[in-house]
Amino acid sequence: MNIELKQILDSGKADFEAIANDIWDHPETRYKESYASSLQEHFMEQHGFTVEKGIGGIATAFKAVSGSGKPVIGFLGEFDALPGLSQTADQPSYAPLSEGAPGHGCGHNLLGTGCMEAACTIATYLKRHHLPGTVIYFGCPAEESGAGKAFMVREGCFDGVDFALAWHPSPHNALMSHSLANVRIIFSFHGKSAHAAGAPQSGRSALDACELTNVGVQYLREHVISSARMHSAYLNAGGDAPNVIPAEASILYALRAPKQSQVKELIERVSDVARGAALMTGTKVDIKVVSAYADTVSVPAMNQLMLAEMHDVLPLDYTEEELAYARQFADPELLKEGAPVIDSTVTDDDSHDGGGSTDVGDVSWIVPTGGVSITTMANGTPGHSWCLTAQGKSSIAHKGMHAAALVLAEAAEKLFTDSELGAEIKADFVKVKGHEKYEKLLPDSAKPGDF
Ligand SMILES: [Zn+2]
């Protein structure tokens, strides 16, 4: 372990715990993270970083820069909350602080703050040793549903960055799992309203068009790759009057597949289904891609580095109080099978597929990216749940955040000081991508915050 990095990190722990708690106390959903981004911007300025606000044309996106020269290492921070996941801290039964309000059910209060802690730690280290290199902390909004980093990539925010580092709070210690490419499309149907009983022949139902789209997609499932995922939610079900033929209705689709090229094909095929539904119902359809996520490029040499640093820092020790706390939240089925209450081992297998999507994927196509999942919660805590929100201010969460920051800071130290390692990772990055390109799934017309 790099004792000096650990000492630098240990001296500032309390500040970062306070920031993570403050963001937990002020949950903000995608593109509305003004409290969190201001708090972090202010802290980074105080810490000697030069802060550029509103990058990529996004009000809550920013970068904080320290040092100069090559290499340039970017830390990918997030701070958005999820709608409807409000929960009282440390409560193991459902008890929202405010019914229907957002909450940090994905742990991004820890995610962004831990990345900031890593950036501050390595920046101090570089200064002390008069080492060249640039540290950038990226405040990245709207990871949840808004694909903030995909827009930031489109606007060139990560150009010139040599390596990117990221982590995610988790019930396990492992390399960040492979994520699926994902696109969100809104199909808005426009028909004609009429008295549903008196003059149905005059009406054209937008709701029927949505329903026929769903039926068509059910039949489509049999004829797409088995790893494709197609899910929908009504945005407008046409109102609440059964005696009025709905003139307007819209439905949101999330289409996922392992590769961007496969998602591109799904977009075309599902759009054809929607066009067919419009034709069948005599309605018109507007098709709008509102956000898109790339799959992640996994670079073996980078993964080796991240795994080595995880083994260096982990496992952590937990007190009896922490184990008792976690037992209230852990999945009883897992415990019955003999699984630990807090999983502090490091999983070496780097092939597992998380099934979800992240906009870290977009950055990973432009910049070689290392990512880890670090334990911050009880074993079996479901992702995107109030149960996860509840544990976001615990000592287990804080311990995990500091461990993640140390893993990232140590990896950065190697990348700053070992140019051969850097060259090996860059060569691996080119090799792994092969002929695959970063697909332009986001149309130019899509704007951050449209959705
Ligand atoms: Zn997340």
Side-chain angles (χ1 to χ4, degrees), residues 82-399:
L82 282 155
L85 292 184
S86 172
Q87 170 70 7
T88 306
D90 308 321
Q91 268 296 327
S93 55
Y94 181 55
L97 276 173
S98 169
E99 193 75 54
H104 274 286
C106 201
H108 294 185
N109 62 312
L110 304 165
L111 194 166
T113 311
C115 280
M116 224 168 72
E117 188 174 16
C120 289
T121 302
I122 190 66
T124 302
Y125 184 88
L126 291 186
K127 269 187 209 157
R128 276 193 194 169
H129 293 268
H130 307 289
L131 287 166
T134 307
V135 179
I136 308 182
Y137 170 74
F138 287 96
C140 307
E143 193 281 325
E144 302 291 355
S145 302
K149 292 184 206 66
F151 286 101
M152 290 169 77
V153 167
R154 190 179 78 179
E155 301 307 318
C157 295
F158 303 102
D159 293 355
V161 176
D162 292 294
F163 306 102
L165 296 173
W167 78 288
H168 202 291
S170 170
H172 307 290
N173 295 310
L175 288 167
M176 214 179 256
S177 54
H178 184 83
S179 66
L180 300 175
N182 176 2
V183 71
R184 305 246 165 151
I185 317 180
I186 298 175
F187 298 102
S188 304
F189 292 92
H190 313 288
K192 198 174 152 202
S193 78
H195 193 295
Q201 70 281 2
S202 304
R204 300 289 180 267
S205 171
L207 178 60
D208 286 357
C210 284
E211 294 190 23
L212 285 166
T213 301
N214 287 341
V215 171
V217 169
Q218 301 301 3
Y219 279 95
L220 182 65
R221 281 184 206 285
E222 193 188 346
H223 305 287
V224 296
I225 53 170
S226 56
S227 50
R229 299 283 181 269
M230 303 186 285
H231 299 102
S232 65
Y234 272 100
L235 297 180
N236 173 6
D240 55 7
N243 57 352
V244 177
I245 289 175
E248 299 291 330
S250 57
I251 192 157
L252 170 67
Y253 262 86
L255 306 175
R256 302 185 208 229
K259 292 182 176 185
Q260 298 165 83
S261 52
Q262 294 161 334
V263 165
K264 218 171 174 182
E265 192 189 327
L266 288 179
I267 296 172
E268 280 317 304
R269 294 183 72 188
V270 173
S271 294
D272 275 346
V273 169
R275 288 184 196 107
L279 196 60
M280 282 190 277
T281 51
T283 60
K284 291 203 163 25
V285 62
D286 285 328
I287 300 173
K288 195 174 173 193
V289 172
V290 289
S291 73
Y293 298 72
D295 52 307
T296 38
V297 178
S298 184
V299 184
M302 180 65 104
N303 287 347
Q304 269 175 26
L305 169 67
M306 303 313 290
L307 261 183
E309 300 309 340
M310 271 198 285
H311 279 292
D312 196 41
V313 171
L314 303 164
L316 302 179
D317 291 325
Y318 295 97
T319 63
E320 284 304 319
E321 289 74 28
E322 285 169 336
L323 293 169
Y325 174 93
R327 196 163 286 116
Q328 306 172 91
F329 294 97
D331 178 351
E333 293 303 316
L334 279 179
L335 300 189
K336 256 191 246 165
E337 291 164 16
V341 178
I342 305 173
D343 186 3
S344 58
T345 56
V346 177
T347 306
D348 286 326
D349 179 14
D350 65 352
S351 61
H352 67 292
D353 186 341
S357 306
T358 168
D359 58 9
V360 172
D362 293 84
V363 180
S364 79
W365 279 89
I366 307 298
V367 180
T369 301
V372 292
S373 296
I374 299 287
T375 300
T376 57
M377 61 194 84
N379 206 352
T381 303
H384 291 193
S385 66
W386 60 259
C387 189
L388 201 160
T389 307
Q391 300 172 69
K393 288 165 89 175
S394 69
S395 65
I396 300 162
H398 292 153
K399 268 188 180 176

